Amino acid sequence: MQLDSILIHGGIDGDAATGAVNVPIYQTSTYRQTGLGETPVWEYSRTGNPTRAALEKLLADLEEGSHGQAFASGMAAVTAVLSLFQQGDKLLLSSNVYGGTFRVLDKVFKNFGITYEIIDTTDLSALPEKLTPDVKAVLIESPANPLLTVTDIAAVSRLSHEHGKLVIVDNTFMTPYLQRPLSLGADIVIHSGTKYLGGHSDVISGFVVVKNQTLADRLYFLQNSTGGVLGPFDSFLMLRGIKTLGVRMDRHTANAQAVACWLEGHPAVKQVYYPGLERDPGYAIQQTQASGAGGMISFELHPDYDVRVFFRSLRLVTLAESLGGVESLVCHPATMTHAAIPEEIRKKVGITDGLIRLSVGIESVQDIQSDLGQAIQTAGKAQV
């Protein structure tokens, strides 16, 4: 099947027991067993649940992997992946990685002797010397959060594998509808399903997908042992949300392209970060490894515009954490999503106090532009 059909009919399609078109919500914690020593298909819902299993199979199909695991949040998924490593291991991170990923490495896993180094993964010439014996994996976001920098996933995977390192890609911004890192050579794909996969800002979830049986077995052991699994009702919501992923991502991407071009031409805008713009440094690579630039934009206003007034003046676009819902959301990375990253590191990688991150929704693009324009105008007047 083509991807648009897999979104609707992939994984486990319907319910064999009843003929239901949709996978039912198996809202149970445990299952009856027929006798001692007779291993049942379903035993305990932390270990496995039919609704969650259908969702996990669907994500594996969409990402062109062999095994998927659903977690209670994106950070639970990240935590499971990081738990693959042990004392003395080191990870390389994309230079503008999500603040939550940095925080759990810096404040939790560092206590267990797992270290990290933030590098520019777009600079392929500098990567080989960073792949020292203590490095076990390279963790990429592409496009990265929040500066939308694009890393050549295939090239990083090739170089990393030559040195025996794993490649982990956070594919939250792109979704498998636009980009499939496993097919580009990555070993592990992570998602915050809360974002585009769910798409309606009504469920928290996370996913890990792999194509290697050994990795799958280790991750399943961690999922079952640590217990941060996605519940059956939330699994049902995710299955429902994913059915419309294709049409939503088409609209998100079209709207974002229009808004990015509009911002690029606005006299109050100092800089626009969006890999769908031809002048963007990541444009060419994005064209080769993804089928669109996605719905995320970051931008900066000129210094004589008051960013606080801009946020306060928005009416349609909502100031909020998160992204990827049908509604347009805006945030201030320096004090919100990336506040956990020390100021000196933020400034070094370009996450300035004036940076604005915009998750472009599927409303009328004219209404989005009008709301942004009014807020920008008000922010400029505030300085007069």
Side-chain angles (χ1 to χ4, degrees):
M1 291 187 291
Q2 298 299 307
L3 191 61
D4 283 318
S5 298
I6 296 173
L7 290 168
I8 298 167
H9 298 289
I12 298 171
D13 191 17
D15 182 52
T18 65
V21 173
N22 292 305
V23 176
I25 305 168
Y26 284 93
Q27 194 69 45
T28 184
S29 60
T30 193
Y31 308 82
R32 183 175 58 201
Q33 300 188 26
T34 56
L36 293 177
E38 298 177 14
T39 305
V41 176
W42 306 108
E43 177 183 6
Y44 185 62
S45 277
R46 170 169 46 79
T47 304
N49 175 280
T51 314
R52 189 174 85 233
L55 175 62
E56 291 172 332
K57 180 64 168 63
L58 175 59
L59 259 295
D61 288 351
L62 292 173
E63 282 287 5
E64 298 180 350
S66 57
H67 299 79
Q69 275 116 16
F71 293 85
S73 69
M75 285 312 305
V78 170
T79 298
V81 170
L82 295 180
S83 298
L84 291 168
F85 305 100
Q86 58 189 0
Q87 185 178 12
D89 290 349
K90 180 179 179 180
L91 283 82
L92 302 179
L93 306 180
S94 293
S95 57
N96 52 106
V97 72
Y98 168 54
T101 302
F102 172 86
R103 180 177 58 228
V104 77
L105 264 170
D106 189 62
K107 304 301 183 186
V108 179
F109 283 92
K110 192 167 70 173
N111 298 331
F112 306 141
I114 298 171
T115 60
Y116 66 88
E117 182 179 353
I118 297 173
I119 67 167
D120 180 5
T121 53
T122 68
D123 184 0
L124 296 176
S125 63
L127 181 60
E129 68 179 21
K130 296 290 185 180
L131 296 170
T132 52
D134 57 336
V135 170
K136 304 303 178 185
V138 182
L139 197 160
I140 300 167
E141 289 182 13
S142 185
N145 184 1
L147 294 173
L148 287 304
T149 50
V150 176
T151 293
D152 188 331
I153 298 172
V156 168
S157 297
R158 184 176 64 254
L159 288 170
S160 299
H161 291 160
E162 287 174 359
H163 291 77
K165 318 301 182 184
L166 290 174
V167 175
I168 306 161
V169 178
D170 185 329
N171 201 31
T172 298
F173 275 19
M174 287 288 94
T175 82
Y177 185 73
L178 297 178
Q179 178 175 272
R180 288 170 291 285
L182 295 180
S183 66
L184 296 168
D187 301 290
I188 302 173
V189 171
I190 301 173
H191 284 279
S192 172
T194 310
K195 313 307 193 289
Y196 288 108
L197 292 175
H200 294 80
S201 302
D202 58 4
V203 60
I204 302 290
S205 68
F207 299 97
V208 178
V209 182
V210 299
K211 58 182 178 181
N212 173 278
Q213 185 67 55
T214 301
L215 275 176
D217 291 343
R218 292 174 66 193
L219 285 163
Y220 176 73
F221 176 84
L222 289 165
Q223 181 193 35
N224 187 44
S225 299
T226 58
V229 298
L230 193 64
F233 184 70
D234 287 344
S235 296
F236 167 79
L237 289 177
M238 290 301 304
L239 284 165
R240 185 177 68 166
I242 289 171
K243 289 181 187 295
T244 61
L245 178 65
V247 292
R248 286 188 287 106
M249 289 309 297
D250 285 344
R251 182 66 170 265
H252 282 299
T253 303
N255 278 3
Q257 187 72 40
V259 170
C261 290
W262 174 79
L263 285 170
E264 190 177 39
H266 198 292
V269 176
K270 176 184 175 183
Q271 178 77 36
V272 180
Y273 303 90
Y274 184 64
L277 297 174
E278 290 190 20
R279 58 132 194 96
D280 189 272
Y283 176 81
I285 296 172
Q286 186 71 10
Q287 294 291 304
T288 65
Q289 68 185 18
S291 57
M296 297 301 300
I297 302 170
S298 288
F299 64 98
E300 294 180 75
L301 300 176
H302 285 294
D304 53 341
Y305 285 78
D306 191 322
V307 175
R308 292 183 179 273
V309 173
F310 167 80
F311 285 121
R312 217 168 37 236
S313 302
L314 293 165
R315 294 295 178 265
L316 175 74
V317 180
T318 302
L319 174 63
E321 299 276 2
S322 200
L323 58 100
V326 293
E327 61 284 302
S328 293
L329 301 175
V330 70
C331 85
H332 185 236
T335 60
M336 295 171 71
T337 57
H338 291 70
I341 298 177
E343 183 179 5
E344 63 273 17
I345 297 178
R346 290 200 309 267
K347 288 184 175 179
K348 182 179 179 180
V349 302
I351 304 173
T352 67
D353 289 342
L355 187 70
I356 298 164
R357 193 191 72 181
L358 173 64
S359 172
V360 182
I362 64 173
E363 307 98 337
S364 159
V365 70
Q366 290 84 2
D367 289 339
I368 297 170
Q369 291 172 344
S370 176
D371 192 43
L372 293 172
Q374 287 290 107
I376 291 172
Q377 184 179 17
T378 305
K381 288 179 179 178
Q383 295 290 349
V384 177

